[in-house]
Amino acid sequence: YLKISKLALAFAIIHSKPPGKSSKEYIEYLAKTVSEQDFGWKWKVEVLEAEVLRLRQELLLNRISPRFCLENRKQDTSAETRTGRESINPTSYSSQLEDSGCDVCNDSAFDSLGMVSDFHQSEHNVNTSKHWLERVPALNLYRTSKEQSLTAPVQFLQRLLEIRRLSEGGVLQADFSELENDSFTIFNSVSQLLDGLTVFYNSPKFPVPSFLSEGVCVLINLITDTKLSNHVLKKCFKKMEEFKKNLIQIILRNRSVNRFQALHSVSQTLGLLGRNNILRNSLISLLLSEVRQFAEQLLQAYQVQSVYDITQYENIFFLYMILEQLLQNETQETNISSPDYGGEEKIKFLKNLDQIILHLSDEFPLFSLYLWRVSVLLNSGQMQ
């Protein structure tokens, strides 16, 4: 029946083709027309899905803190009034620039691996909190470009963090138990943020765009906030694990000649993710696994005198640096929930490690030194 239907369609196309066109040209024209229609429908679906998510985000914020949303609606109205005035008096425009609420600049977003330059100051008094309320950008999540698609979840999560700070300062009443009732909105918002960061890390641009710094800023604040992190990780843990794996692979597989600045930026983000104890333990396991596998591959290549991946050899040192930073932070903290971090991966990593170091130390002294340093940090954590 399918063959007969295809044959009938072919005859119909041949009989209906316009004069001056071959059957092949007419078929290609029809295929292009249908694909354009499909693209148009897909775009409409994406727009509608974005609008649904925007409405659900606004509804969730309103349920958590109705007063916050009411105050921001007033601010949106006054902002429209100011916009009208600025068109008359353009000299006042510079003082009214929209503030993202995230004190990060392109070049000084990070001090070193695992350390952030004033993402947000933890000390907020009541007056500062009221000032923040006036500065939070309008929730405008109806976006199209890649940059704007990253900005959309950032704005929503910024507002969520701001409600948290204002409620902590006593300015607002907020009910964060509402987060338990709407896993769809939280999961989709965080997923959009992580997917957006992954896209830009895969094709980095320098200097680092401000929206990328803001995205990292919001993500780190979200997972380190004592009240919000549990809600977020409960719904988005698998997505966070996928994000960490993607960043590790971006580091290992990057073969660009001028890749080191980009890899340093990715490494910093991974180090910052390790600020959360739950994410840190799983991240240590992932890094140990990648380093162990490469060490075994390098040993095998050395023993049979075969070629090894020199680019991956260079990139693996970024994983070493992240591991050292995370393990040092782990051993320095006194309130560690589980001293035996790493689990099975730690056992696999330490097994036969002395033999690997012994065989590789002459040909790859720096690699062997880093292996030894990581093993020392692992053992020191176990002794504590």
Side-chain angles (χ1 to χ4, degrees):
Y1 177 79
L2 183 61
K3 290 181 179 179
I4 294 173
S5 300
K6 289 181 177 179
L7 186 60
L9 177 62
F11 274 113
I13 291 174
I14 292 171
H15 282 299
S16 62
K17 70 180 182 68
K21 269 192 176 181
S22 67
S23 299
K24 181 181 179 182
E25 291 174 341
Y26 188 50
I27 290 172
E28 290 175 349
Y29 165 76
L30 291 176
K32 182 180 179 182
T33 303
V34 172
S35 64
E36 287 176 352
Q37 290 176 350
D38 288 344
F39 178 79
W41 280 110
K42 289 179 181 178
W43 181 81
K44 289 179 181 178
V45 169
E46 290 176 358
V47 169
L48 291 173
E49 286 177 345
E51 179 66 9
V52 169
L53 181 59
R54 181 186 70 81
L55 293 173
R56 294 190 68 148
Q57 288 170 337
E58 289 186 345
L59 181 61
L60 178 59
L61 292 177
N62 186 65
R63 289 205 306 265
I64 294 173
S65 180
R67 183 190 159 194
F68 179 85
C69 295
L70 179 63
E71 290 292 335
N72 274 280
R73 276 195 289 271
K74 291 179 181 178
Q75 293 298 327
D76 293 346
T77 304
S78 62
E80 290 177 3
T81 305
R82 285 198 304 271
T83 303
R85 292 174 184 169
E86 285 158 9
S87 63
I88 301 173
N89 184 14
T91 57
S92 65
Y93 177 76
S94 61
S95 63
Q96 300 292 342
L97 287 177
E98 183 181 270
D99 194 322
S100 68
C102 198
D103 187 17
V104 183
C105 65
N106 291 345
D107 299 325
S108 60
F110 307 97
D111 285 335
S112 61
L113 185 61
M115 299 300 292
V116 187
S117 297
D118 298 330
F119 269 141
H120 286 291
Q121 295 182 6
S122 58
E123 298 83 6
H124 284 278
N125 55 29
V126 174
N127 292 331
T128 305
S129 297
K130 289 180 179 178
H131 182 56
W132 268 100
L133 185 61
E134 296 173 357
R135 294 168 57 194
V136 176
L139 186 59
N140 181 12
L141 305 178
Y142 196 62
R143 307 286 184 171
T144 53
S145 71
K146 289 183 179 180
E147 295 183 9
Q148 291 171 328
S149 66
L150 182 59
T151 305
V154 167
Q155 287 187 354
F156 165 68
L157 296 172
Q158 276 179 333
R159 285 187 164 228
L160 190 61
L161 287 164
E162 190 55 31
I163 291 176
R164 167 78 174 106
R165 281 189 290 271
L166 293 173
S167 64
E168 192 176 34
V171 178
L172 286 176
Q173 294 293 324
D175 181 14
F176 290 100
S177 63
E178 291 290 340
L179 293 173
E180 295 294 332
N181 303 325
D182 196 352
S183 58
F184 173 88
T185 303
I186 292 296
F187 175 79
N188 279 275
S189 300
V190 175
S191 295
Q192 279 189 3
L193 174 59
L194 298 180
D195 290 341
L197 290 175
T198 302
V199 168
F200 283 103
Y201 278 133
N202 267 311
S203 302
K205 297 178 181 179
F206 293 97
V208 178
S210 60
F211 61 84
L212 185 62
S213 298
E214 287 186 11
V216 176
C217 164
V218 169
L219 177 62
I220 302 308
N221 277 313
L222 196 64
I223 65 172
T224 54
D225 187 281
T226 54
K227 199 167 187 78
L228 297 178
S229 60
N230 291 334
H231 294 289
V232 172
L233 292 179
K234 186 183 298 183
K235 299 173 178 62
C236 308
F237 182 76
K238 289 184 178 179
K239 189 68 180 180
M240 293 293 297
E241 290 296 291
E242 179 186 336
F243 178 62
K244 290 186 296 184
K245 291 177 182 178
N246 288 337
L247 293 189
I248 290 173
Q249 293 306 312
I250 287 173
I251 291 176
L252 290 175
R253 296 176 181 176
N254 194 318
R255 298 183 176 276
S256 172
V257 176
N258 301 316
R259 64 186 181 276
F260 297 109
Q261 186 179 5
L263 296 188
H264 182 64
S265 179
V266 179
S267 300
Q268 288 172 327
T269 300
L270 278 170
L272 292 170
L273 290 175
R275 287 183 158 200
N276 182 282
N277 288 334
I278 298 175
L279 296 180
R280 176 166 54 201
N281 291 336
S282 61
L283 179 56
I284 288 174
S285 295
L286 288 172
L287 293 170
L288 286 175
S289 175
E290 292 293 342
V291 171
R292 175 183 59 81
Q293 291 178 41
F294 183 78
E296 292 173 351
Q297 293 170 8
L298 190 63
L299 176 61
Q300 184 179 5
Y302 172 70
Q303 289 175 337
V304 300
Q305 295 298 305
S306 62
V307 179
Y308 65 93
D309 191 335
I310 184 63
T311 303
Q312 193 169 358
Y313 176 83
E314 294 173 344
N315 294 346
I316 202 75
F317 286 95
F318 285 94
L319 301 193
Y320 273 130
M321 289 186 286
I322 303 167
L323 256 177
E324 285 196 6
Q325 179 69 35
L326 295 176
L327 292 173
Q328 287 171 358
N329 292 343
E330 191 84 13
T331 55
Q332 289 170 3
E333 292 182 4
T334 57
N335 56 344
I336 302 173
S337 57
S338 175
D340 190 18
Y341 41 78
E344 295 182 4
E345 280 303 329
K346 175 183 174 181
I347 297 173
K348 292 179 181 178
F349 182 85
L350 293 176
K351 184 180 179 180
N352 299 327
L353 183 65
D354 292 339
Q355 290 298 319
I356 294 176
I357 294 175
L358 179 64
H359 286 92
L360 295 180
S361 57
D362 289 338
E363 189 72 20
F364 306 99
L366 185 60
F367 183 86
S368 302
L369 176 62
Y370 271 89
L371 271 178
W372 175 78
R373 286 167 56 163
V374 170
S375 67
V376 169
L377 287 170
L378 285 171
N379 289 321
S380 64
Q382 187 176 28
M383 288 189 294
Q384 288 183 0

